[in-house]
Coordinates of all heavy atoms in Angstrom, one line a residue:
T191 N -29.6 -1.0 -13.2 CA -28.7 0.1 -13.6 C -28.6 1.0 -12.3 O -29.6 1.2 -11.6 CB -29.3 1.0 -14.7 OG1 -30.4 1.7 -14.2 CG2 -29.7 0.1 -15.9
G192 N -27.4 1.5 -12.0 CA -27.3 2.3 -10.8 C -27.3 1.5 -9.5 O -27.6 1.9 -8.4
G193 N -27.1 0.2 -9.7 CA -27.2 -0.8 -8.6 C -26.2 -0.7 -7.5 O -26.3 -1.3 -6.5
A194 N -25.1 0.2 -7.7 CA -24.1 0.4 -6.7 C -24.5 1.6 -5.8 O -23.8 1.9 -4.8 CB -22.7 0.6 -7.3
G195 N -25.6 2.3 -6.2 CA -25.9 3.5 -5.4 C -26.7 3.2 -4.2 O -26.9 2.0 -3.8
Y196 N -27.3 4.2 -3.5 CA -27.9 4.1 -2.3 C -29.1 3.1 -2.3 O -29.1 2.0 -1.7 CB -28.4 5.5 -1.8 CG -29.2 5.5 -0.5 CD1 -28.9 4.8 0.6 CD2 -30.3 6.3 -0.5 CE1 -29.7 4.8 1.7 CE2 -31.1 6.4 0.6 CZ -30.8 5.7 1.8 OH -31.6 5.7 2.9
I214 N -25.4 -5.9 -12.0 CA -25.3 -4.4 -11.8 C -24.6 -3.8 -12.9 O -23.6 -4.2 -13.4 CB -24.6 -4.1 -10.5 CG1 -25.4 -4.5 -9.3 CG2 -24.2 -2.6 -10.4 CD1 -24.7 -4.4 -7.9
L215 N -25.2 -2.6 -13.4 CA -24.4 -1.7 -14.3 C -24.4 -0.4 -13.7 O -25.4 0.2 -13.3 CB -25.1 -1.6 -15.7 CG -24.5 -0.8 -16.7 CD1 -24.7 -1.3 -18.1 CD2 -24.9 0.7 -16.7
D216 N -23.2 0.2 -13.5 CA -23.0 1.5 -12.8 C -21.8 2.1 -13.2 O -20.7 1.4 -13.4 CB -23.0 1.2 -11.2 CG -23.4 2.5 -10.5 OD1 -22.7 3.5 -10.6 OD2 -24.4 2.4 -9.7
N217 N -21.8 3.4 -13.4 CA -20.5 4.1 -13.8 C -19.8 4.6 -12.5 O -18.7 5.2 -12.6 CB -20.7 5.2 -14.8 CG -21.5 6.4 -14.2 OD1 -21.9 6.4 -13.1 ND2 -21.7 7.4 -15.1
F218 N -20.3 4.4 -11.3 CA -19.7 4.7 -10.0 C -19.5 6.2 -9.9 O -18.6 6.6 -9.1 CB -18.4 3.9 -9.8 CG -18.7 2.5 -9.5 CD1 -19.0 1.6 -10.5 CD2 -18.8 2.0 -8.2 CE1 -19.4 0.3 -10.2 CE2 -19.1 0.7 -7.9 CZ -19.4 -0.2 -8.9
M219 N -20.2 7.0 -10.6 CA -20.0 8.5 -10.5 C -20.5 9.0 -9.1 O -20.1 10.0 -8.6 CB -20.6 9.3 -11.6 CG -22.0 9.2 -11.9 SD -23.1 10.2 -10.9 CE -22.5 11.8 -11.2
N220 N -21.5 8.2 -8.5 CA -21.9 8.5 -7.2 C -22.0 7.3 -6.3 O -23.0 7.1 -5.6 CB -23.3 9.3 -7.3 CG -23.6 10.0 -6.0 OD1 -22.7 10.5 -5.3 ND2 -24.9 10.0 -5.6
A221 N -21.0 6.4 -6.4 CA -21.0 5.2 -5.6 C -19.6 4.9 -5.2 O -18.7 5.2 -5.9 CB -21.6 4.0 -6.4
R222 N -19.5 4.3 -4.0 CA -18.1 4.0 -3.6 C -17.6 2.7 -4.3 O -18.4 1.8 -4.5 CB -18.1 3.7 -2.1 CG -18.4 5.0 -1.3 CD -18.9 4.6 0.1 NE -18.1 3.6 0.7 CZ -17.8 3.7 2.0 NH1 -18.1 4.7 2.7 NH2 -17.1 2.7 2.5
D223 N -16.3 2.7 -4.6 CA -15.8 1.5 -5.3 C -15.9 0.2 -4.6 O -16.0 -0.8 -5.2 CB -14.3 1.8 -5.5 CG -14.0 2.6 -6.7 OD1 -14.9 2.7 -7.6 OD2 -13.0 3.3 -6.7
D224 N -16.0 0.3 -3.2 CA -16.1 -1.0 -2.5 C -17.5 -1.5 -2.3 O -17.7 -2.5 -1.6 CB -15.4 -0.9 -1.1 CG -16.1 0.1 -0.2 OD1 -17.1 0.7 -0.6 OD2 -15.6 0.2 1.0
V225 N -18.5 -0.9 -2.9 CA -19.9 -1.4 -2.7 C -20.0 -2.9 -3.2 O -20.6 -3.7 -2.5 CB -20.9 -0.5 -3.4 CG1 -22.3 -1.1 -3.5 CG2 -21.0 0.9 -2.7
P226 N -19.5 -3.2 -4.4 CA -19.7 -4.7 -4.8 C -19.1 -5.6 -3.8 O -19.7 -6.7 -3.5 CB -19.0 -4.7 -6.1 CG -19.0 -3.3 -6.7 CD -18.9 -2.4 -5.5
V239 N -20.7 -7.2 -11.9 CA -20.8 -5.7 -12.1 C -20.3 -5.4 -13.5 O -19.1 -5.8 -13.8 CB -20.0 -5.0 -11.1 CG1 -20.2 -3.5 -11.3 CG2 -20.5 -5.3 -9.7
Y240 N -21.0 -4.6 -14.3 CA -20.5 -3.9 -15.5 C -20.2 -2.5 -15.1 O -21.2 -1.8 -14.7 CB -21.4 -4.0 -16.6 CG -21.6 -5.4 -17.2 CD1 -22.4 -6.4 -16.6 CD2 -20.9 -5.8 -18.4 CE1 -22.5 -7.7 -17.1 CE2 -21.0 -7.0 -18.9 CZ -21.8 -8.0 -18.3 OH -21.9 -9.2 -18.8
R241 N -19.0 -2.0 -15.2 CA -18.7 -0.6 -14.9 C -18.8 0.2 -16.2 O -18.1 0.0 -17.2 CB -17.2 -0.5 -14.4 CG -17.1 -0.9 -13.0 CD -15.7 -0.7 -12.5 NE -15.7 -1.2 -11.1 CZ -15.6 -0.3 -10.1 NH1 -15.6 1.0 -10.2 NH2 -15.7 -0.8 -8.9
G242 N -19.8 1.1 -16.3 CA -20.0 1.8 -17.5 C -21.2 2.7 -17.4 O -22.0 2.6 -16.4
D243 N -21.5 3.4 -18.5 CA -22.5 4.4 -18.5 C -23.8 3.8 -19.2 O -23.7 3.1 -20.2 CB -22.0 5.6 -19.4 CG -22.8 6.8 -19.0 OD1 -24.1 6.9 -19.3 OD2 -22.3 7.7 -18.4
V244 N -24.9 4.1 -18.6 CA -26.2 3.6 -19.1 C -26.5 4.3 -20.5 O -27.4 3.8 -21.2 CB -27.3 3.8 -18.1 CG1 -27.7 5.3 -18.0 CG2 -28.5 3.0 -18.4
R245 N -25.8 5.3 -20.8 CA -26.1 5.9 -22.1 C -25.2 5.2 -23.2 O -25.3 5.6 -24.4 CB -25.7 7.4 -22.1 CG -26.7 8.2 -21.3 CD -26.2 9.6 -20.9 NE -25.1 9.5 -20.0 CZ -24.4 10.5 -19.6 NH1 -24.8 11.7 -19.9 NH2 -23.3 10.3 -18.8
F265 N -32.3 2.5 -11.9 CA -32.0 3.6 -10.9 C -31.0 4.7 -11.4 O -31.0 5.8 -10.9 CB -31.3 3.0 -9.6 CG -32.0 2.0 -8.9 CD1 -31.8 0.6 -9.0 CD2 -33.0 2.4 -8.0 CE1 -32.5 -0.3 -8.3 CE2 -33.8 1.5 -7.3 CZ -33.5 0.1 -7.4
A266 N -30.2 4.3 -12.4 CA -29.1 5.2 -12.7 C -29.6 6.6 -13.2 O -30.3 6.7 -14.1 CB -28.2 4.6 -13.9
A267 N -29.2 7.6 -12.4 CA -29.7 8.9 -12.7 C -29.0 9.9 -11.8 O -28.3 9.5 -10.8 CB -31.2 9.0 -12.4
L268 N -29.0 11.2 -12.2 CA -28.6 12.3 -11.3 C -29.8 12.7 -10.5 O -30.9 12.7 -11.0 CB -28.1 13.4 -12.1 CG -26.9 13.1 -13.1 CD1 -26.5 14.3 -13.9 CD2 -25.7 12.5 -12.4
K269 N -29.6 13.0 -9.2 CA -30.8 13.2 -8.4 C -30.9 14.4 -7.5 O -31.8 14.5 -6.6 CB -30.9 11.9 -7.4 CG -29.7 11.8 -6.5 CD -30.0 10.9 -5.3 CE -28.8 10.8 -4.4 NZ -29.1 9.9 -3.2
A270 N -30.0 15.4 -7.7 CA -30.0 16.5 -6.8 C -30.9 17.7 -7.4 O -30.5 18.2 -8.5 CB -28.7 17.1 -6.5
E273 N -29.0 21.0 -7.9 CA -28.0 20.9 -9.0 C -28.6 20.9 -10.4 O -28.1 21.4 -11.4 CB -27.2 19.7 -8.8 CG -26.0 19.6 -9.7 CD -25.2 18.2 -9.6 OE1 -25.9 17.2 -9.7 OE2 -24.0 18.2 -9.3
S274 N -29.8 20.3 -10.5 CA -30.5 20.2 -11.8 C -30.8 21.6 -12.3 O -30.9 21.8 -13.6 CB -31.7 19.3 -11.7 OG -32.8 20.0 -11.2
K277 N -27.5 22.7 -13.8 CA -27.0 21.9 -14.9 C -28.1 21.1 -15.6 O -28.1 19.9 -15.6 CB -26.0 20.9 -14.4 CG -24.8 21.5 -13.7 CD -23.9 20.4 -13.1 CE -22.7 20.9 -12.5 NZ -21.9 19.9 -11.9
D280 N -27.1 18.4 -18.3 CA -26.6 17.1 -17.7 C -27.7 16.2 -17.2 O -27.7 15.0 -17.4 CB -25.7 17.4 -16.5 CG -24.3 18.0 -17.0 OD1 -24.1 18.1 -18.2 OD2 -23.5 18.4 -16.1
Y281 N -28.7 16.8 -16.5 CA -29.8 16.0 -16.0 C -30.6 15.4 -17.1 O -31.0 14.2 -17.0 CB -30.6 16.9 -15.0 CG -30.0 16.8 -13.6 CD1 -28.8 17.4 -13.4 CD2 -30.6 16.1 -12.6 CE1 -28.2 17.3 -12.1 CE2 -30.0 16.0 -11.4 CZ -28.8 16.6 -11.1 OH -28.2 16.4 -9.9
H283 N -29.7 14.8 -20.2 CA -28.9 13.9 -20.9 C -28.8 12.6 -20.2 O -29.1 11.5 -20.7 CB -27.6 14.5 -21.2 CG -26.8 13.8 -22.3 ND1 -25.5 13.5 -22.2 CD2 -27.2 13.3 -23.4 CE1 -25.1 12.8 -23.3 NE2 -26.2 12.7 -24.1
T284 N -28.5 12.6 -18.9 CA -28.4 11.4 -18.1 C -29.7 10.7 -17.9 O -29.9 9.5 -18.1 CB -27.7 11.7 -16.8 OG1 -26.4 12.3 -17.1 CG2 -27.4 10.4 -16.0
N285 N -30.7 11.5 -17.4 CA -31.9 10.9 -16.9 C -32.8 10.5 -18.0 O -33.4 9.4 -18.0 CB -32.6 11.8 -15.9 CG -31.8 12.0 -14.6 OD1 -30.6 11.7 -14.6 ND2 -32.4 12.7 -13.7
Y333 N -34.9 18.5 -12.7 CA -35.0 17.1 -12.2 C -36.4 16.5 -12.3 O -36.6 15.4 -12.8 CB -34.5 17.0 -10.8 CG -34.7 15.7 -10.1 CD1 -33.8 14.6 -10.4 CD2 -35.7 15.5 -9.1 CE1 -34.0 13.4 -9.8 CE2 -35.8 14.2 -8.5 CZ -35.0 13.2 -8.9 OH -35.1 11.9 -8.3
D376 N -24.4 7.8 1.2 CA -23.1 8.5 1.4 C -23.2 9.9 0.8 O -22.8 10.1 -0.4 CB -22.1 7.7 0.6 CG -20.8 7.5 1.3 OD1 -20.7 8.2 2.4 OD2 -20.0 6.7 0.9
P377 N -23.9 10.8 1.5 CA -24.1 12.1 0.8 C -22.9 13.0 0.7 O -21.9 12.7 1.3 CB -25.1 12.8 1.8 CG -24.8 12.2 3.1 CD -24.2 10.8 2.9
G378 N -23.0 14.0 -0.1 CA -21.8 14.9 -0.3 C -21.5 15.7 1.0 O -22.0 15.4 2.1

Side-chain angles (χ1 to χ4, degrees):
T191 73
Y196 173 46
I214 291 175
L215 182 149
D216 201 301
N217 66 1
F218 287 80
M219 57 86 56
N220 197 34
R222 293 160 45 138
D223 277 335
D224 65 355
V225 168
V239 182
Y240 288 81
R241 282 182 181 256
D243 201 295
V244 73
R245 292 164 294 180
F265 297 103
L268 303 176
K269 65 164 180 176
E273 186 188 55
S274 79
K277 302 177 176 173
D280 285 356
Y281 273 69
H283 196 223
T284 301
N285 296 9
Y333 173 73
D376 225 350

